[in-house]
Amino acid sequence: MRILVLGGDGYLGWPTALHLSRRGHEVGVVDNFVRRQYDFEMGVDSLVPIAHLQRRVRTWEEVSGLAVEAFVGDLTDHRFVEKVLDRFGPEAVVHFAEQRSAPYSMIDRAHATYTQVNNVVGTLNLLYAIAERDPAVHLVKLGTMGEYGTPNIDIEEGFIEITHKGRTDVLPYPKQPGSFYHLSKVHDSHNIQFACRIWGLRATDLNQGVVYGQETDETTMHPDLATRFDYDGVFGTVLNRFCVQAVVGHPLTVYGRGGQTRGMLDIRDTLACVELALLHPPAEGEFRVFNQFTESFSVRQMAELVADAYPGRVTIEHVADPRVEKEEHYYRAAHTKLLDLGLVPHLLGPATLRSILAVVDRHRDRVDPGAIAPTVQWRATESTLATSSGLPRR
Ligand SMILES: NC(=O)c1ccc[n+]([C@@H]2O[C@H](COP(=O)([O-])OP(=O)(O)OC[C@H]3O[C@@H](n4cnc5c(N)ncnc54)[C@H](O)[C@@H]3O)[C@@H](O)[C@H]2O)c1
């Protein structure tokens, strides 16, 4: 299959591109490197050093004998999107290319509007370009479990049957997202569903949980192929952040009481889920939703798992929750559709935790402890990003 991976320079896009390439697909990657730009803005860096995209692609060809074509440009530029689709002629597009940090979207007005314009306009440009060129192209779009929020009832996979005043219908599951970033994903989902309805496009919305881990079968083939690993207070996902804190002897910082429960998955399962979605495309005009996570844990449980797996002494500290969210709540979300397609999950056990801790340990000299604390406050309309030197940075 000819597959374009948008956001192919990012944490998940790059390993996904390699995985699909190794599985025999013809793969192109698209990125504008804005993720690297956020690091410059915040004065932080990926814990694991990452090669630039051109070198990654060259090394992949040397190591595997397989070519991955790189396209550099911005999805909010519709001419660029159209040109790439014309040049590459994909049968499927996997769309990872969005601003993906909730705290980043909550810094201030400028970061909120940037996030929503980048994500919503980029996706709209893509929908138009696909509809005008080849509506048969399968769009696999990364959404998030955070779109649903934490309702006091079971979360279904995208849709819920509702009986109201004696009439029954299957409707999109109600969304109560927790940040302007998560809201951008909700807006995307609505736009994609609408495009499927009016233009007969076919799309899979992958409502993904929080991803952990850094190594995949392909990224470990050469240091140039490594993917990024974020641990800072703005982009670091929770389990990766706890592993860094354990290794550098920093208390594991649990926000509030730590009862916030989230769906989680191993980075290797992200690759497997995307491939399963690609191999089993929806029908023409179909918009389907898969909840892409394998287990759920509370933040407190995750801290305890890391503390138990780390051989040294680890302390857990509860800090004021910078977010506006329920610190204890009901959480039960369906996630059977990918399992039905054949997903065999990598569950979070001591071996996986030890392998993440080993990655962190190899790069412990690169940790900037000043980057870990949360700096973005949900209750404020404006937060100041502090650099590691302690100077305010705007
Ligand atoms: N990492 C997670 O735990 C997680 C969880 C749920 C959902 N997701 C979703 O998966 C996707 C990928 O996440 P990630 O962690 O790899 O993020 P990432 O930031 O590492 O990767 C996204 C890539 O997209 C690129 N990009 C952003 N806007 C672009 C634009 N306008 N044009 C071209 N390129 C652009 C960035 O430069 C970056 O390389 C995102 O959509 C994210 O919301 C991630």
Side-chain angles (χ1 to χ4, degrees), residues 74-152:
D74 192 325
L75 295 190
T76 61
D77 171 1
H78 71 93
R79 287 187 195 86
F80 168 73
V81 178
E82 291 155 8
K83 207 165 77 189
V84 173
L85 289 198
D86 286 340
R87 279 264 305 275
F88 190 80
E91 294 163 84
V93 176
V94 185
H95 180 14
F96 289 101
E98 298 203 327
Q99 191 299 95
R100 71 108 170 119
S101 157
Y104 190 85
S105 76
M106 299 301 292
I107 294 172
D108 57 14
R109 187 202 58 80
H111 290 81
T113 53
Y114 162 73
T115 299
Q116 294 216 348
V117 171
N118 185 64
N119 296 0
V120 176
V121 173
T123 299
L124 264 178
N125 284 344
L126 184 63
L127 291 170
Y128 268 89
I130 292 174
E132 285 166 1
R133 271 150 194 80
D134 183 2
V137 169
H138 176 196
L139 171 62
V140 177
K141 165 69 167 53
L142 271 291
T144 152
M145 285 302 292
E147 291 183 40
Y148 299 115
T150 54
N152 200 30

Side-chain angles (χ1 to χ4, degrees), residues 6-13 30-36 38 73-76 80 95-101 114 118-119 122 141-145 181 185 206-212 228 230 235 237 265:
L6 312 181
D9 188 49
Y11 170 52
L12 301 176
V30 177
D31 211 290
N32 67 349
F33 307 132
V34 70
R35 177 67 192 86
R36 296 177 187 246
Y38 308 145
D74 192 325
L75 295 190
T76 61
F80 168 73
H95 180 14
F96 289 101
E98 298 203 327
Q99 191 299 95
R100 71 108 170 119
S101 157
Y114 162 73
N118 185 64
N119 296 0
K141 165 69 167 53
L142 271 291
T144 152
M145 285 302 292
Y181 152 71
K185 295 285 192 185
L206 295 175
N207 281 345
Q208 183 169 240
V210 184
V211 184
Y212 55 81
R228 54 180 310 122
D230 300 306
F235 273 86
T237 50
L265 74 163

Side-chain angles (χ1 to χ4, degrees), residues 2-10 12-21 25-33 36 52-58 60 67-75 80 84-85 87-88 90 92-94 96-97:
R2 290 183 66 75
I3 304 168
L4 256 189
V5 178
L6 312 181
D9 188 49
L12 301 176
W14 174 243
T16 302
L18 295 189
H19 177 71
L20 295 172
S21 170
H25 302 289
E26 287 173 61
V27 177
V29 294
V30 177
D31 211 290
N32 67 349
F33 307 132
R36 296 177 187 246
H52 57 66
L53 182 61
Q54 290 78 355
R55 183 149 144 207
R56 286 174 150 183
V57 166
R58 256 196 329 267
W60 178 242
V68 165
E69 203 175 342
F71 300 90
V72 177
D74 192 325
L75 295 190
F80 168 73
V84 173
L85 289 198
R87 279 264 305 275
F88 190 80
V93 176
V94 185
F96 289 101

